[in-house]
DNA sequence: CTGGATCCGGGAAGATACTG
DNA sequence: CAGTATCTTCCCGGATCCAG
């Protein structure tokens, strides 16, 4: 990207991450962890392959990303965030909080990946039953989703892993999924709609609801 | 901006503010308050006039900015942030915190405006003498600068105003100014260098220093 | 003078085909 | 699978011009 030529922390930051697609690539690497090129492409529908290659090269020379050759299996290449790249999480979370009020139902041409919910869910979920034993609630599927792990009052949201044994799995159309976690769709309604398989109480445990996680959701609307 | 076409809070947010110059325009309006077209141009060196006009129009239709005709003096036009636009401050502050570690001394071609320090200073300053009477420290000049107002432990950073009576004025070359407030340049050294006019103790009162405001400054470097 | 609009060249982004 | 090559499109940047 062409530099703004301003001695200003914001402008200097945008010189590095202001390019198109760059922050979405960071989102993918934050959500998925070290990823292969093809995995990044799947999580970034709409990106041109040359653009992804170019961005990864630029981000590597900017110190946001490292490219690694894993010896096994068979010289696989993965891309991972450096600490400097991972430090963008705060900025991404603020942008997510700001963008969330515009999450009206998806339009027909919009793509969706359940693992995109990871960053929002970190702000939206909590443990409503700290005394209960540890549990995992999966959103989406094992191929593409998040595991919300609650344990004694603390929560962790990460990409779905085969080792986790979810007490409940929540899935459904994107608009309903978002509505559920922002408190616009009651859990009972989601259950009746067949969005929840497994223990509905586990879902009730983690859904923090809209006012706690995003108190400004309404007043920030235009 | 062309939409990413992703049903994701981050992507939707970037659809609105991901365009070049948009966040810097928000920076100006956050720092200066409602501003005239020419004032924005002065605070955005390097922007093409057509681009500023285009962005302001886009931001207006996105609900970030309102265009107002003041009746007096003589039908003056000003641009101001809506609450939705002002809600970007959190994201901007995170980006500033992230960009700050790259604030090496300015290169020759970089422009500088003292009022750009406003957002960083909100994170960097504090009242080290809550018991003392209210004071104002000016950074830069009246034409282009910030007033740091401390009063009983709380601080407020705003654009310089003629009504304020600063106890001290800090000014100098951009690199030194940044170094002073990030704790890399001792206050005594700044005073000896002639950067401070007025009460040096007032400056000492507000300079919070680097570790408090930006604890991650070093570890976040590449 | 302020607050833009118009025109144009260059370069970044987008789409697709192709390859080691 | 992990990109490169190529072509097109359109946004950005710079200069100039214009209306109130």
């Amino acid at each position: 990207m062409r530099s703004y030529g301003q001695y200003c922390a914001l402008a200097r930051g945008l010189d590095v991450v202001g390019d198109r697609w760059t922050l979405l690539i960071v989102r993918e690497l934050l959500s998925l962890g070290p990823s292969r090129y093809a995995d990044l492409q799947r999580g970034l529908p709409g990106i041109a392959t040359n653009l992804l290659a170019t961005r990864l090269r630029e981000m590597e020379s900017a110190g946001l990303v490292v490219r690694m050759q894993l010896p096994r299996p068979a010289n696989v290449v993965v891309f991972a965030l450096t600490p400097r790249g991972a430090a963008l999480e705060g900025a991404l979370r603020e942008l997510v909080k700001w963008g969330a009020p515009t999450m009206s139902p998806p339009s027909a041409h919009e793509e969706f990946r359940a693992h995109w919910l990871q960053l929002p869910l970190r702000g939206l979920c909590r443990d409503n039953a700290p005394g209960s034993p540890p549990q995992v609630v999966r959103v989406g599927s094992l191929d593409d989703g998040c595991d919300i792990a609650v344990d004694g009052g603390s929560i962790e949201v990460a990409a779905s892993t085969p080792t986790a044994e979810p007490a409940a799995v929540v899935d459904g159309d994107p608009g309903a999924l978002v509505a559920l976690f922002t408190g616009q769709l009651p859990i009972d309604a989601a259950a009746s709609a067949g969005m929840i398989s497994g223990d509905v109480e586990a879902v009730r445990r983690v859904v923090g609801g809209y006012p706690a996680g995003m108190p400004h959701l309404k007043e920030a609307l235009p």
Side-chain angles (χ1 to χ4, degrees), chain A:
Chain A
M1 148 169 290
R2 183 193 180 99
S3 168
Y4 285 108
Q6 300 185 357
Y7 188 57
C8 157
L10 178 64
R12 285 239 184 143
L14 291 174
D15 281 346
V16 179
V17 299
D19 263 315
R20 198 159 160 76
W21 291 106
T22 301
L23 287 180
L24 295 187
I25 295 172
V26 174
R27 173 196 70 190
E28 288 305 299
L29 291 173
L30 273 176
S31 304
L32 305 176
S35 306
R36 305 181 57 166
Y37 191 89
D39 295 326
L40 291 174
Q41 270 189 312
R42 264 185 293 278
L44 294 163
I47 198 173
T49 170
N50 59 347
L51 214 35
L52 177 55
T54 302
R55 284 293 174 275
L56 286 170
R57 224 178 297 120
E58 292 166 345
M59 293 168 75
E60 190 180 2
S61 59
L64 306 184
V65 157
V66 283
R67 187 179 187 281
M68 292 182 299
Q69 291 254 7
L70 301 186
R72 183 168 352 291
N75 287 7
V76 164
V77 178
V78 296
F79 298 89
L81 288 176
T82 62
R84 173 77 178 150
L88 281 163
E89 175 165 357
L92 258 55
R93 289 178 68 149
E94 287 297 319
L95 283 169
V96 164
K97 271 170 61 178
W98 186 83
T102 70
M103 293 303 280
S104 48
S107 39
H109 65 276
E110 278 184 317
E111 299 270 355
F112 177 74
R113 302 288 184 273
H115 75 262
W116 292 343
L117 292 172
Q118 199 171 310
L119 269 88
L121 288 181
R122 288 182 190 179
L124 284 167
C125 292
R126 49 181 176 184
D127 187 356
N128 292 315
S132 305
Q135 276 182 319
V136 171
V137 173
R138 174 162 299 159
V139 184
S141 65
L142 179 58
D143 281 350
D144 172 41
C146 317
D147 284 354
I148 308 165
V150 284
D151 182 0
S154 72
I155 78 152
E156 278 178 21
V157 185
S160 305
T161 61
T163 58
E165 286 282 347
V169 177
V170 185
D171 209 346
D173 80 82
L177 225 42
V178 168
L180 172 63
F181 282 97
T182 56
Q184 294 161 15
L185 176 69
I187 295 175
D188 295 332
S192 323
M195 291 173 59
I196 301 175
S197 57
D199 181 5
V200 177
E201 292 312 308
V203 177
R204 211 178 300 280
R205 179 177 178 183
V206 302
V207 172
Y210 163 104
M214 328 202 62
H216 67 306
L217 214 65
K218 274 198 175 114
E219 75 229 24
L221 281 167

